[in-house]
Amino acid sequence: MNQIRDKYAIVGVGESKRSKNSGTTPLHLALDAARAAIADAGIDAKEIDGFMSYCENDSCSPHQLATYLGVRPNYVKEILGGGSSTEMLIADAVGLIETGQAKTVLIYRSMNGRSGVRMGGGGWSSDLLQSAFEGGSHIIPYGAASPSQWFGLFATRHMKQNGLTQEHLGHVCTSFYEHAQRNPNAFFYGKPLTMEDYLKTAQLSSPFTKHDFCLESDEANAIIVTSAERAKDCQSKPAYIMGMAARRAVSHAHYWKNIDEVASDYVAKPLYEAAGVGPQDIDIASIYDCFSWVVLRQLEAYGLAPKGEVGDFVAAGNLKIDGQLPTNLAGGMLSEGYTHGMNNVLEIVRQVRGEYEGTERQAKKHDIAICTGWAGPDMAGAMILRK
């Protein structure tokens, strides 16, 4: 992967309106996001010859999107996927361009995740034991039947081993809610969260309160990837891809036997080797935050906070905009919105290229950024960008 260092860039990002009831289709949302990304890059839609997406049977196809943009693509691809899929498809786009199969690729995620098919609902339960995941029949009949309960098991174990408390989870939540107050498009804009209020909130699934859960939203996000050479002709500042570890996995059977490990533990080393930097070089971060605890675990896995000291790290305010590692500066999936991680990628691109210069939303130091994806303890990926 170090052979592609700085050869490719993200040149366009865009999003649709974010809501809890869009009143329209995923295709319309995808068109809004794609057109915004195309305008951001300053290119013609017909310059895009690759279209890729991930979904949970809740979206529109890449071929549909290309058709309605008036494009005859060379390549289309749609996968079933969630949290680590953005990074994986960006790596796929790099591979397509590297081998001459495409020149410019648009990647998107579009869904009515609140008013339509919802995570944990909308048909999941029809054959839950078989379709939830491998080994589901060993835990679902005993009451662990939702992501919050599964993640609660991992979190409880990890917190006990490392002296983490409810208040440490609260520091993640209050930091991201604070960032959302600078983002008018965040769901919790105008709704700050104090530690006092957080600690007063009842748990929904131990150790998680409602603030520890990611949101459900109707929206679409889009990203455009091209070569560094072609990026010179785009109107936007490129965010150069220094390195990637697209998607690494451990089996379900493995992580249920050893819940002290997560897939992110296997991503950090090849990621930093590919980018030619280390965790000490990272200025800002977008950390996948389906649950608050997942942020703590990934900070450890990527060496961004010392193992066993991550609680002190977040309690010191290091995730805030003036901290050591400003993280999820649009509010993240806990307080901005939720497109299975792509909204976090949009924000890190904007931060890297200094889009908010002159405002209180821009991190002061933003030369090098890390963006992590997570599809559960079994599957993860990440990338490092530079301005």
Side-chain angles (χ1 to χ4, degrees), residues 67-324:
T67 298
Y68 279 83
L69 287 171
V71 178
R72 186 189 297 273
N74 292 336
Y75 187 93
V76 292
K77 179 177 186 177
E78 181 176 32
I79 65 167
L80 288 174
S84 63
S85 298
T86 304
E87 291 77 11
M88 188 195 79
L89 291 182
I90 291 172
D92 284 358
V94 167
L96 288 168
I97 301 168
E98 180 79 3
T99 57
Q101 298 180 76
K103 295 178 181 178
T104 302
V105 179
L106 185 143
I107 301 162
Y108 68 96
R109 176 71 173 106
S110 182
M111 60 184 187
N112 281 320
R114 177 73 182 184
S115 67
V117 178
R118 298 174 66 174
M119 286 293 290
W124 256 33
S125 61
S126 61
D127 192 14
L128 192 56
L129 292 182
Q130 297 298 321
S131 63
F133 57 82
E134 295 174 54
S137 58
H138 295 292
I139 64 167
I140 292 173
Y142 300 96
S146 73
S148 62
Q149 293 166 318
W150 307 331
F151 277 81
L153 294 172
F154 300 119
T156 299
R157 165 86 171 193
H158 179 256
M159 291 170 70
K160 178 71 173 177
Q161 287 183 316
N162 293 277
L164 298 172
T165 66
Q166 190 80 44
E167 192 166 342
H168 291 132
L169 297 179
H171 282 294
V172 175
C173 297
T174 55
S175 296
F176 294 176
Y177 273 63
E178 183 176 305
H179 300 328
Q181 307 318 303
R182 306 183 189 97
N183 177 11
N185 293 322
F187 271 149
F188 287 127
Y189 177 70
K191 298 178 181 179
L193 177 67
T194 66
M195 182 62 74
E196 181 182 9
D197 288 340
Y198 171 82
L199 292 174
K200 285 180 181 178
T201 307
Q203 291 182 348
L204 295 180
S205 179
S206 180
F208 303 135
T209 72
K210 66 180 182 179
H211 304 296
D212 298 285
F213 285 68
C214 59
L215 298 164
E216 292 179 312
S217 52
D218 292 5
E219 63 176 298
N221 300 159
I223 294 168
I224 298 174
V225 179
T226 194
S227 67
E229 189 63 31
R230 285 181 175 272
K232 296 175 184 177
D233 297 326
C234 296
Q235 72 176 12
S236 62
K237 292 181 181 179
Y240 293 100
I241 300 169
M242 296 184 71
M244 304 193 72
R247 180 179 271 189
R248 300 214 165 205
V250 296
S251 71
H252 285 87
H254 170 85
Y255 79 73
W256 281 116
K257 289 178 181 177
N258 183 7
I259 62 173
D260 297 336
E261 288 186 348
V262 295
S264 297
D265 294 326
Y266 295 89
V267 173
K269 186 174 185 292
L271 173 69
Y272 291 128
E273 287 177 351
V277 298
Q280 71 280 358
D281 299 307
I282 303 299
D283 299 319
I284 52 175
S286 279
I287 306 291
Y288 197 85
D289 55 331
C290 51
F291 295 96
S292 58
W293 167 78
V294 171
V295 176
L296 300 178
R297 188 61 182 85
Q298 289 177 95
L299 289 170
E300 283 186 346
Y302 291 99
L304 299 167
K307 188 169 177 59
E309 300 177 27
V310 67
D312 293 338
F313 182 83
V314 298
N318 283 314
L319 303 184
K320 297 187 177 184
I321 196 163
D322 56 354
Q324 182 178 320

Side-chain angles (χ1 to χ4, degrees), residues 335-387:
S335 56
E336 182 195 27
Y338 181 46
T339 48
H340 291 150
M342 195 178 283
N343 56 310
N344 281 356
V345 180
L346 267 59
E347 179 64 15
I348 207 72
V349 168
R350 290 166 173 159
Q351 287 286 337
V352 163
R353 64 192 191 185
E355 185 168 313
Y356 308 113
E357 292 286 5
T359 76
E360 60 179 6
R361 186 168 167 181
Q362 180 67 55
K364 290 180 181 178
K365 191 175 181 183
H366 51 91
D367 293 350
I368 300 177
I370 189 171
C371 185
T372 74
W374 170 292
D378 60 319
M379 200 174 294
M383 66 179 172
I384 293 177
L385 304 174
R386 73 162 181 87
K387 69 177 185 180

